[in-house]
Amino acid sequence: MSAPESVDTLRGALLYQGKAKQVYATPDPTRILIHYTDGATAFNGLKKANIADKGAINCKISAFFMEKVAAAGVPTAFERNIGDRDQLCKKVDIIPVEVVVRNVVAGGLAKKLGLAEGIKLPSPLVEHFYKSDSLNDPQINEDTAVLLGWAQPHELLAMRDYALKVNAVLIAFWAELGVDLVDFKLEFGRVALDGSVGAPTAVVLADEITPDGSRLWERGTGRKLDKDVFRRDLGDLSETYRELYKRIFGESL
Ligand code: CDP
């Protein structure tokens, strides 16, 4: 009889130590375990803190949204939560191109173009950034990604299509809860279609969908309900995330 599925039986070697997550091998080479920590960083690691229960809150929120977007036709690497802070996911080859979708001007876009935050865009803006901590994730365009071999044209098309689908799902969900989705970042990866080396690959949504990588503004008041609370010292991020959790799940953590 095989051992019951638990974090202890699944967790193998540490493969990657991220800012807010750790990635572990599992006994199945096609699967990884993602562990959500309470760590928070901003400004590429210059500002750091521990936010009580953030890992458990984000693990549950990300699983909830991954299931929602999968039901809307976006393939994802997410499989299921194991306990409170761990997720079993397909192992992917991460595409080093981050996709940001914006509905409202804020953050880096406002700064770069000297615009006020809060200007509503007439339709969603899709932007691309090269995933590189040492370079501070510089903005690129799709041609750069293709010509430097980071992604193929059909992969970028799929990423754009999936990102806009995720946007539509999230906008509608948050609107019901009185929250405007301002922007968010997604990461994608490749999975081998039949598991063998050299097999054709498909693009799937990887990483997370959480308030760490989104901007969420309360409708009417504009109050920030995302990691900007931490980046900009606007209040207690743990309390903010607990409030989001309660709005989504209807109960406290
Ligand atoms: O947040 P920041 O001003 O650094 O950059 P942005 O381009 O305005 O970020 C757009 C959205 O992507 C925000 O919701 C960020 O939280 C998210 N983002 C992220 O999750 N990770 C990054 N490395 C950059 C942005």
Side-chain angles (χ1 to χ4, degrees), residues 89-101:
C89 296
K90 290 188 187 75
K91 186 169 185 172
V92 304
D93 168 27
I94 282 281
I95 296 172
V97 176
E98 300 185 347
V99 178
V100 167
V101 181

Side-chain angles (χ1 to χ4, degrees), residues 134-203:
S134 59
L135 297 174
N136 230 338
D137 297 343
Q139 189 169 7
I140 57 167
N141 67 18
E142 288 163 296
D143 286 354
T144 317
V146 171
L147 295 176
L148 292 176
W150 298 330
Q152 295 184 36
H154 73 272
E155 293 176 324
L156 291 160
L157 277 175
M159 288 157 67
R160 176 181 289 269
D161 176 44
Y162 295 156
L164 290 172
K165 281 201 173 105
V166 170
N167 189 45
V169 169
L170 296 183
I171 285 181
F173 178 81
W174 283 116
E176 290 274 316
L177 301 185
V179 175
D180 287 324
L181 176 67
V182 170
D183 58 34
F184 59 95
K185 184 231 12 175
L186 298 177
E187 294 189 21
F188 294 89
R190 299 179 186 100
V191 286
L193 282 174
D194 71 1
S196 62
V197 177
T201 58
V203 170

Side-chain angles (χ1 to χ4, degrees), residues 63-136:
F64 176 79
F65 284 128
M66 287 292 176
E67 283 173 356
K68 230 178 212 324
V69 303
V74 176
T76 81
F78 172 78
E79 297 216 318
R80 58 187 172 276
N81 276 1
I82 312 279
D84 289 345
R85 288 173 175 264
D86 292 80
Q87 295 183 341
L88 191 66
C89 296
K90 290 188 187 75
K91 186 169 185 172
V92 304
D93 168 27
I94 282 281
I95 296 172
V97 176
E98 300 185 347
V99 178
V100 167
V101 181
R102 301 179 184 277
N103 300 303
V104 176
V105 173
L109 179 66
K111 196 164 176 201
K112 182 176 64 183
L113 300 181
L115 297 170
E117 290 198 309
I119 300 168
K120 187 156 173 27
L121 296 163
S123 60
L125 171 63
V126 178
E127 294 182 335
H128 299 81
F129 295 82
Y130 177 42
K131 186 171 157 61
S132 164
D133 282 344
S134 59
L135 297 174
N136 230 338

